[in-house]
Amino acid sequence: MKSFAPLLLALALGAGQASHAIAASSIHHTSAKAAAKSAKAGKAGKTAVKAGKKGKAAKAAPAPRRPAIDYDGEQVNFGEWQAVRGFEDDMVNRNGFERAEVEAVVAKLRFIDSAVQLVKPAPPGKPKNWQAYSERFIEPIRIHAGVRFWNENAAELARAEALYGVPAEIIAGIIGVETIYGRDTGRFRVMDVLATLAFAYPESPNRNDRMQFFRSELEQTMLLARKENIDPFSLLGSFAGAVGMPQFMPSNILKYGVDFDGDGIVDLRNSPADAIGSVANFLIAHGWDRNATGPSVFPADVAPSLAWEPLLGGLEARYAAAELQGAGVVTRTALPDQRNYGLIDLQNGADPTEYWVANANFFAITKYNRSYFYAMSVVELGRAVRLARGI
């Protein structure tokens, strides 16, 4: 990570965590734009008909360009908010920023209501359904994009696997689930969404903790921008502030970003090599066991006695194979000895729940996104891409 102009995004912790509700103001704004476009389209159609009558070829209007930034930003005076003034003091006293510099940054911040709406929990609805969830990620577009990504970056994936012990298919699975191999890295200004969520997070049981998290990420973004000598407002990412192909939060870019292509820059947006190395480095730092070769999950059957129910839950491997077997968990293949495991459930709505036994490497993936569904999607997408490549 050295020149941040090419670097970008956040570990929000990823796919599948946020509801995609849109604020009423955003809907109104979009509807107004759609109506205006419709009116213009009608006029264009009439013009084309007239031109045709005169025997002249009507030239098709070019398709509208997608905007570089996605948000309905509102200019507010963040500098008047007491909590923001405290943040300014911290940046000056703790991090050595000039006050005028910090105040100039705060003056540019915009309030992003759509970010507030998107972090709200999904309303109660259908029960969890692993099969429906997985179909969003294990599908032809991602698989084909994954094959291309792997083919184009085979040397870097092999080098990361050798250096860190993380299989190429797991690295490819994460980047594919997160951004379809860099195709969708987010188009919100990171500073805006982080400031909005740091000081105006919606009401929720964990509101204070989440505000503190985003406040810290706002601080880390400014530190990162200073380190890389870039404009912090040049960073684009997700609605939660994640950046680049692997969707690292700014703090994780500083902690785990790797200059894997050796050009002196950690560039998570434009360098597949840096994204590959950084994902592997993150997993190693979060418990990936390079000695646990082979599958990270094993299909299992559970006994009717339900003695296994207390073993469900959690994000770590805590039980010996014998403990699982004693509680009525039977895997369809033998588990490697001398390792710990966890029991996970993948609910399928009205259909039977799937049960799997997972090792430490599966739970390392859940540190990227705290969801069994997410981690299993990574495993399955990576496997599908590998098989599609014929290996």
Side-chain angles (χ1 to χ4, degrees):
M1 222 149 33
K2 284 107 197 189
S3 166
F4 202 69
L7 169 73
L8 3 261
L9 106 124
L11 177 43
L13 301 302
Q17 283 189 322
S19 71
H20 292 282
I22 303 298
S25 61
S26 298
I27 294 173
H28 175 76
H29 183 70
T30 303
S31 298
K33 285 186 175 180
K37 288 181 180 179
S38 177
K40 289 182 180 179
K43 292 180 181 178
K46 292 178 181 178
T47 301
V49 170
K50 290 180 180 179
K53 289 181 178 178
K54 293 180 180 179
K56 295 179 181 178
K59 190 174 182 179
R65 295 186 63 182
R66 190 180 186 193
I69 298 174
D70 248 347
Y71 62 81
D72 291 323
E74 178 184 352
Q75 189 71 51
V76 301
N77 194 345
F78 276 102
E80 293 183 346
W81 299 11
Q82 183 176 353
V84 177
R85 289 199 294 270
F87 173 79
E88 292 175 347
D89 291 341
D90 287 344
M91 297 307 294
V92 171
N93 299 327
R94 185 164 63 211
N95 297 307
F97 281 83
E98 296 292 334
R99 184 167 296 276
E101 179 186 4
V102 180
E103 290 177 347
V105 168
V106 168
K108 294 179 183 178
L109 293 170
R110 298 182 71 86
F111 181 85
I112 311 300
D113 185 66
S114 54
V116 175
Q117 303 306 319
L118 287 164
V119 298
K120 290 180 178 179
K126 296 180 180 179
K128 293 181 179 180
N129 190 314
W130 157 243
Q131 291 301 326
Y133 178 95
S134 65
E135 286 173 1
R136 295 163 48 197
F137 301 102
I138 300 47
E139 46 80 31
I141 290 176
R142 283 180 207 263
I143 294 171
H144 293 156
V147 169
R148 179 176 179 180
F149 179 85
W150 196 327
N151 288 342
E152 292 176 348
N153 300 283
E156 290 78 9
L157 286 163
R159 183 159 60 93
E161 184 167 340
L163 180 63
Y164 295 101
V166 180
E169 66 187 79
I170 296 298
I171 299 171
I174 285 178
I175 297 174
V177 168
E178 289 291 341
T179 63
I180 317 181
Y181 305 98
R183 188 174 301 179
D184 185 8
T185 58
R187 298 183 299 128
F188 289 85
R189 286 201 316 187
V190 168
M191 290 290 291
D192 291 340
V193 294
L194 292 178
T196 297
L197 298 175
F199 304 113
Y201 197 86
E203 289 297 332
S204 64
N206 63 345
R207 182 174 187 260
N208 289 336
D209 289 342
R210 298 308 291 161
M211 289 176 72
Q212 186 56 46
F213 169 78
F214 286 110
R215 177 171 171 154
S216 175
E217 290 299 331
L218 182 63
E219 177 181 7
Q220 294 301 309
T221 303
M222 291 185 65
L223 291 172
L224 179 60
R226 182 173 68 179
K227 177 177 181 290
E228 302 299 339
N229 192 29
I230 58 148
D231 177 1
F233 289 95
S234 68
L235 298 177
L236 303 183
S238 74
F239 67 84
V243 176
M245 292 182 197
Q247 292 286 275
F248 272 23
M249 293 302 288
S251 62
N252 284 333
I253 295 172
L254 287 168
K255 291 176 187 175
Y256 308 114
V258 174
D259 174 20
F260 206 54
D261 60 13
D263 67 353
I265 300 168
V266 174
D267 179 1
L268 300 187
R269 179 178 59 182
N270 299 307
S271 172
D274 289 0
I276 288 166
S278 298
V279 168
N281 191 41
F282 178 94
L283 291 175
I284 283 291
H286 288 83
W288 187 274
D289 181 1
R290 67 178 304 142
N291 295 317
T293 57
S296 56
V297 288
F298 304 82
D301 296 309
V302 293
S305 66
L306 304 183
W308 45 269
E309 278 194 332
L311 307 185
L312 274 174
L315 297 176
E316 59 182 313
R318 293 179 292 177
Y319 306 108
E323 291 180 88
L324 290 168
Q325 292 164 3
V329 179
V330 179
T331 54
R332 299 166 199 174
T333 56
L335 296 174
D337 291 331
Q338 322 249 302
R339 303 204 182 282
N340 283 344
Y341 300 92
L343 178 63
I344 67 170
D345 58 335
L346 301 180
Q347 299 170 39
N348 277 313
D351 294 327
T353 296
E354 295 179 28
Y355 293 95
W356 296 73
V357 169
N359 67 16
N361 290 342
F362 178 88
F363 291 108
I365 301 172
T366 67
K367 303 308 187 294
Y368 212 105
N369 183 311
R370 299 170 65 85
S371 162
Y372 293 164
F373 281 14
Y374 174 87
M376 187 63 80
S377 291
V378 166
V379 170
E380 291 296 324
L381 177 59
R383 177 176 177 272
V385 172
R386 174 174 58 79
L387 293 174
R389 292 186 75 238
I391 60 174

